[in-house]
Amino acid sequence: MKLQQILFSQGFGTRRECTAIIERGAVSINGDVQRRGDIEFDVEGLTLTVHGAPWPFHAQAYLMLNKPAGFECSHKPKEWPSVYELLPMPLRLRPTQSSVDGVQAIGRLDQDTTGLLILSDDGQFIHRMASPKHHVPKVYVVTAKHAIDDAAISALLSGVVLNDDPEPVRAVACVTVSDNVVKLTLTEGKYHQVKRMLAAVGNRVEGLHSAQMGGLMLDADLAAGQWRWLTADDLALIKSPGTPARP
Ligand code: URA
């Protein structure tokens, strides 16, 4: 792939801006400054250095972010900063790929929800992960205002009706962690689903943490606000059926 196209595909700006960055001598490969955008490079395993910072080439972006509270999962946030501000500029400027407009969060977490958020610019992957048809399990750690008793757990597992939704929704697993804390596994992603399910059993969510999607868990050592690229093994795990919440 030509160097200018490589930079453009990675989100370093418009084609013209990418040419300018290269001509300014800001891009090097294996320690050699490259001043021509029309030279071809093999992108397999390629790491560019742009303005002194290494950037590993990724044909498509698959990311894990540890979402802190106080961020909205929206490109046009209303009240809180956007989670996309936690990503470096190239990931925010990646061009549209197969009709996906740059990097997108898969499923929206509320501003006060913390934890695992997966982002990608691969349309098929986003669809597969987000579609209720594919039943991708998502595990949440729910801290409730009141103790969550056995009757509430049975109701969450057998199905509760949310507002005027026609069909009841149910958790595929609900494991008690302590009196007020459960690990809840859902395979759908309806608006405010966990909060509405807890409200339907007469309780109230006071803390919500996304812990797992498919078989992939949030890294224990990824600090709030930090992100990382997903590996091929992570992608295999996330697409695997996963295990519902365990104690
Ligand atoms: N359910 C909710 O209520 N909020 C979230 O952020 C995710 C699931």
Side-chain angles (χ1 to χ4, degrees):
M1 196 188 285
K2 290 198 170 83
L3 185 55
Q4 185 244 33
Q5 174 61 19
I6 293 174
L7 251 72
F8 176 71
S9 72
Q10 299 302 286
F12 283 95
T14 61
R15 289 177 197 281
R16 187 178 290 204
E17 285 163 350
C18 291
T19 303
I21 297 170
I22 297 165
E23 289 179 353
R24 233 181 281 139
V27 181
S28 48
I29 292 178
N30 297 330
D32 297 327
V33 174
Q34 304 292 333
R35 289 180 188 273
R36 287 187 47 191
D38 59 350
I39 297 185
E40 303 250 354
F41 289 89
D42 181 358
V43 290
E44 185 67 37
L46 178 72
T47 295
L48 308 156
T49 301
V50 184
H51 297 301
W55 188 265
F57 177 90
H58 284 87
Q60 288 190 293
Y62 304 96
L63 315 169
M64 164 192 290
L65 171 74
N66 184 354
K67 180 191 174 296
F71 285 82
E72 284 182 36
C73 289
S74 167
H75 284 284
K76 292 184 184 155
K78 294 202 174 88
E79 288 181 55
W80 302 86
S82 162
V83 285
Y84 299 100
E85 290 177 26
L86 298 167
L87 302 178
M89 199 52 92
L91 286 173
R92 288 152 65 184
L93 294 181
R94 272 172 90 95
T96 300
Q97 293 218 34
S98 54
S99 81
V100 178
D101 192 8
V103 170
Q104 308 292 327
I106 300 176
R108 286 194 169 196
L109 297 179
D110 299 333
Q111 72 69 23
D112 51 353
T113 300
T114 58
L116 180 66
L117 183 66
I118 302 295
L119 302 106
S120 180
D121 62 353
D122 174 347
Q124 272 188 346
F125 175 74
I126 295 173
H127 177 72
R128 176 176 171 162
M129 289 298 122
S131 156
K133 266 196 249 152
H134 287 93
H135 304 289
V136 177
K138 281 148 285 220
V139 180
Y140 296 94
V141 181
V142 186
T143 305
K145 179 166 186 181
H146 311 291
I148 306 165
D149 58 16
D150 289 348
I153 291 179
S154 302
L156 293 168
L157 290 170
S158 55
V160 291
V161 176
L162 304 181
N163 307 10
D164 46 6
D165 273 8
E167 298 289 329
V169 289
R170 61 180 207 91
V172 296
C174 184
V175 174
T176 301
V177 178
S178 65
D179 283 356
N180 292 42
V181 181
V182 288
K183 279 189 189 172
L184 198 67
T185 306
L186 303 181
T187 52
E188 307 131 302
K190 290 178 186 282
Y191 181 67
H192 290 332
Q193 184 165 341
V194 175
K195 290 177 182 165
R196 290 159 73 209
M197 287 178 78
L198 268 285
V201 295
N203 212 322
R204 186 187 158 86
V205 171
E206 299 221 309
L208 187 54
H209 180 76
S210 157
Q212 184 179 335
M213 185 182 257
L216 182 69
M217 295 170 79
L218 177 68
D219 292 359
D221 57 358
L222 190 68
Q226 299 297 302
W227 67 277
R228 71 164 176 86
W229 297 99
L230 295 184
T231 63
D233 285 351
D234 293 327
L235 288 172
L237 267 178
I238 201 171
K239 289 176 191 164
S240 73
T243 38
R246 283 165 300 184

